[in-house]
Amino acid sequence: MFPWQHIDTVLLDMDGTLLDLHFDNHFWLHLVPKALSQQRNVSEAEAMLWVERNYQEVDGTLNWYCLDYWESKMGLDIMALHESLAEKIQLRQDSLPFLTALAQANKQRILVTNAHPKSLALKLNHTDLGLGLDAMISSHETGYPKEHPQFWLQLFERFDLDPDRCLFIDDNEVILAAAKRAGVGYQLGIANPDSQKPNKQFSDFTAIEDYRELFADLRV
């Protein structure tokens, strides 16, 4: 699927790519509206409409991913809510075997995530994800989300990367396209980011359901 001899570094998204997206979907689409409905004494349907409208207003910006922004906007203790649901934070079953295979093939493994540093720390604390990474960066450290070209420029500079020799893996096709425009040589989608939902359809990028599909070529 990829010319691995021309790939030095694999850039990996976190939520939906290495971790099951079910945690985040359940948190933002179920737990938060429920908490808002109780806080504001409105129906969950009304709270959900408010949530959807406010999500759409900042979609694709750093605020969309910023826990501090949502804590201020909603008046909720977002981290306490995260902690209450922490048992749902799960690695994909194929993630650590893939990260191990990358290490055995001498590929650098860098986590590139839009997740807020507080969310990143929580997920690292509740999984073994950190054991399979060589480096990591949150877009909040750069001031730009992965959708923005400046994020990629800062990423390449920070880790001294040759973008032509990088593979980027993400479950979001918009972000895959942003990486391609920024010069990342190879892209791969994840078709099943949420274990509790149907597969996604990708229009412009190859997508897989299981990293083990890559193992045979990776080990050659």
Side-chain angles (χ1 to χ4, degrees), residues 181-199:
R181 288 192 301 271
V184 174
Y186 307 92
Q187 298 82 33
L188 178 65
I190 296 300
N192 55 341
D194 185 329
S195 63
Q196 307 300 310
K197 291 190 174 185
N199 283 9

Side-chain angles (χ1 to χ4, degrees), residues 45-219:
E46 289 177 278
M48 190 66 214
L49 285 173
W50 184 92
V51 163
E52 289 176 342
R53 184 172 65 252
N54 281 272
Y55 286 173
Q56 289 169 4
E57 286 180 359
V58 294
D59 187 24
T61 72
L62 203 59
N63 277 342
W64 200 96
Y65 305 98
C66 182
L67 300 191
D68 295 331
Y69 171 83
W70 290 116
E71 190 160 285
S72 174
K73 187 81 172 177
M74 295 174 172
L76 296 173
D77 188 337
I78 295 295
M79 281 310 299
L81 288 174
H82 268 77
E83 291 282 3
S84 73
L85 202 65
E87 76 281 355
K88 288 187 178 292
I89 301 173
Q90 300 288 336
L91 276 163
R92 290 172 54 98
Q93 291 185 350
D94 54 342
S95 290
L96 284 182
F98 178 52
L99 294 171
T100 299
L102 289 174
Q104 292 170 344
N106 296 313
K107 308 302 181 187
Q108 184 180 29
R109 306 155 302 172
I110 302 178
L111 184 74
V112 292
T113 179
N114 275 330
H116 189 275
K118 292 178 182 177
S119 176
L120 174 58
L122 178 73
K123 290 169 180 177
L124 291 172
N125 190 46
H126 282 84
T127 69
D128 291 329
L129 177 59
L131 300 177
L133 300 169
D134 299 304
M136 62 186 73
I137 184 173
S138 163
S139 59
H140 295 260
E141 299 172 49
T142 72
Y144 299 92
K146 290 188 294 184
E147 290 88 336
H148 196 286
Q150 188 63 37
F151 168 83
W152 298 96
L153 293 175
Q154 292 194 37
L155 171 70
F156 302 149
E157 182 177 350
R158 176 178 296 197
F159 296 107
D160 193 24
L161 300 176
D162 178 351
D164 286 337
R165 297 185 65 86
C166 292
L167 164 66
F168 174 56
I169 307 177
D170 201 296
D171 62 296
N172 185 314
E173 195 159 20
V174 171
I175 297 177
L176 288 170
K180 184 176 182 179
R181 288 192 301 271
V184 174
Y186 307 92
Q187 298 82 33
L188 178 65
I190 296 300
N192 55 341
D194 185 329
S195 63
Q196 307 300 310
K197 291 190 174 185
N199 283 9
K200 297 175 64 173
Q201 298 299 315
F202 283 71
S203 301
D204 299 319
F205 297 93
T206 299
I208 60 171
E209 299 177 19
D210 194 311
Y211 289 119
R212 285 167 283 222
E213 296 175 39
L214 304 175
F215 282 14
D217 289 340
L218 182 58
R219 289 169 176 164

Side-chain angles (χ1 to χ4, degrees), residues 2-76:
F2 296 103
W4 286 103
Q5 70 275 20
H6 298 305
I7 296 172
D8 299 326
T9 301
V10 181
L11 307 169
L12 301 125
D13 171 52
M14 182 171 66
D15 300 314
T17 299
L18 293 174
L19 300 184
D20 190 337
L21 194 60
H22 179 60
F23 168 82
D24 293 273
N25 282 336
H26 186 80
F27 181 85
W28 293 106
L29 300 178
H30 296 281
L31 186 59
V32 164
K34 182 178 180 180
L36 281 172
S37 74
Q38 294 171 349
Q39 176 205 64
R40 302 181 181 193
N41 196 27
V42 298
S43 70
E44 286 191 34
E46 289 177 278
M48 190 66 214
L49 285 173
W50 184 92
V51 163
E52 289 176 342
R53 184 172 65 252
N54 281 272
Y55 286 173
Q56 289 169 4
E57 286 180 359
V58 294
D59 187 24
T61 72
L62 203 59
N63 277 342
W64 200 96
Y65 305 98
C66 182
L67 300 191
D68 295 331
Y69 171 83
W70 290 116
E71 190 160 285
S72 174
K73 187 81 172 177
M74 295 174 172
L76 296 173

